[in-house]
Amino acid sequence: ADTSEVLPRGWLIGFAAACMLTAFLWFSCVSLVMASGPVRRRYARISKWLDKVFGVFFMGVGVKLALSKMSAS
């Protein structure tokens, strides 16, 4: 069904505005927390390890995805 038949346009605009406001508030809070001294220092200490761990993780996901696409062909 077309969304205009399900919800009035005002509700859709309100929902979109609420989603944007929620995202703005969330990322504002995250940036304030990450900018605080203790969190920034701790992240600086562990960032190299985090990069390595997530790099290996995403390479594994990529290999799994590539292998699954090859077997599906």
Side-chain angles (χ1 to χ4, degrees):
D2 186 13
T3 56
S4 62
E5 296 172 4
V6 178
L7 288 173
R9 185 176 300 270
W11 280 93
L12 292 174
I13 293 171
F15 181 70
C19 289
M20 288 188 294
L21 178 63
T22 302
F24 175 78
L25 291 174
W26 168 252
F27 287 110
S28 296
C29 290
V30 169
S31 66
L32 288 173
V33 168
M34 291 299 290
S36 69
V39 174
R40 191 176 44 204
R41 284 189 296 275
R42 186 170 184 187
Y43 179 74
R45 278 198 314 264
I46 65 171
S47 66
K48 290 177 184 170
W49 283 104
L50 279 175
D51 289 345
K52 291 175 185 179
V53 167
F54 282 105
V56 169
F57 171 75
F58 284 119
M59 283 192 300
V61 170
V63 168
K64 183 177 179 181
L65 181 64
L67 293 175
S68 70
K69 292 290 182 182
M70 289 173 54
S71 66
S73 299

